[in-house]
Amino acid sequence: MYSVGELRKRTNISVRTLHYYDELGLLKPSRVTETGYRYYSKEDVLKLQQITALKKLGFPLSRIKDILNAEDALPAEIRWKKAIRGQIGTIREEMERLRRLERLLFHTLYSIEITGDFRTDDIFSFIQAMQPEKEPSNDESREQFFNEHFTPEEIEVIDGLPTFDTDDPKADEWVKLLRDIRDHMHEPP
């Protein structure tokens, strides 16, 4: 069993928040002493983890209460596994969103280095990338475009070129070369 103070120290969730969850009936302590001290069980800790995860996903406390009440009928082991799998899924989605954002930042950085300008389209891309929903994959449309416009030999050459969505030293060299070409485009050959 964990006291409110111990739970606060172990989770960084304030005593005030724990008391508020108790008032709402969201997280009742398993035991309350005659002097009013609250103690939380391992099951209560699981429920607190679920509350924290659902809050992070943007659920209001009233909806979280409904979700948790529905899950109370499940055996403890299943609830733990379900909660942990849910957290793993949330983490994976966030990691993928951050990878997309990283690629976008590298792409924009190289674009600025090549053109010497920041485009409005880049700002729109940033806004879209910051949204929680997943972006549709462009892999199929890219492959279709390549197959329609390039021979297999040309595609092989293109695949060997550095991409502008990672921190690749080859990409830096290409960016410098493209910037140099851009700066001299108005000159005769």
Side-chain angles (χ1 to χ4, degrees):
M1 298 289 267
Y2 302 93
S3 69
V4 171
E6 289 173 308
L7 206 52
R8 181 197 58 78
K9 286 178 190 172
R10 308 261 328 241
T11 64
N12 287 328
I13 295 174
S14 71
V15 171
R16 182 177 170 183
T17 299
L18 293 169
H19 285 196
Y20 183 62
Y21 290 167
D22 185 9
E23 287 174 33
L24 294 176
L26 191 59
L27 179 66
K28 292 279 189 192
S30 290
R31 185 171 150 242
V32 180
T33 65
E34 291 177 13
T35 55
Y37 288 104
R38 298 167 182 176
Y39 290 92
Y40 296 88
S41 69
K42 205 162 86 169
E43 293 302 311
D44 298 329
V45 173
L46 169 63
K47 192 175 272 195
L48 181 58
Q49 185 269 338
Q50 290 172 310
I51 292 167
T52 305
L54 292 169
K55 272 184 64 180
K56 180 77 174 157
L57 292 171
F59 286 93
L61 293 178
S62 60
R63 179 70 180 117
I64 292 172
K65 186 176 180 180
D66 293 341
I67 292 169
L68 293 179
N69 287 340
E71 289 197 2
D72 280 343
L74 297 173
E77 180 183 349
I78 292 173
R79 285 198 317 264
W80 274 100
K81 288 178 180 179
K82 189 174 178 181
I84 291 169
R85 283 188 180 113
Q87 280 294 101
I88 290 169
T90 301
I91 289 168
R92 285 181 176 162
E93 287 173 12
E94 182 64 11
M95 287 169 50
E96 180 55 34
R97 187 188 68 78
L98 290 172
R99 276 193 285 278
R100 285 192 315 266
L101 185 57
E102 179 188 38
R103 288 191 303 267
L104 175 65
L105 288 169
F106 276 118
H107 178 77
T108 303
L109 175 66
Y110 291 133
S111 175
I112 292 170
E113 288 181 10
I114 291 169
T115 65
D117 192 18
F118 189 78
R119 303 170 323 160
T120 309
D121 286 343
D122 294 330
I123 296 171
F124 293 139
S125 296
F126 283 128
I127 294 169
Q128 287 176 355
M130 296 305 293
Q131 301 308 310
E133 55 271 353
K134 291 182 179 181
E135 292 179 4
S137 173
N138 290 329
D139 291 342
E140 289 178 17
S141 59
R142 181 180 188 266
E143 186 176 333
Q144 182 181 355
F145 174 82
F146 276 21
N147 288 334
E148 289 175 5
H149 295 89
F150 299 102
T151 66
E153 294 80 21
E154 291 170 328
I155 292 173
E156 189 176 332
V157 170
I158 291 170
D159 286 340
L161 296 174
T163 61
F164 292 129
D165 59 0
T166 61
D167 189 17
D168 181 357
K170 290 181 186 177
D172 287 334
E173 292 175 35
W174 274 94
V175 166
K176 289 174 187 169
L177 178 64
L178 292 172
R179 177 69 185 251
D180 195 35
I181 291 169
R182 184 180 179 279
D183 289 344
H184 292 92
M185 282 188 62
H186 64 281
E187 298 175 8

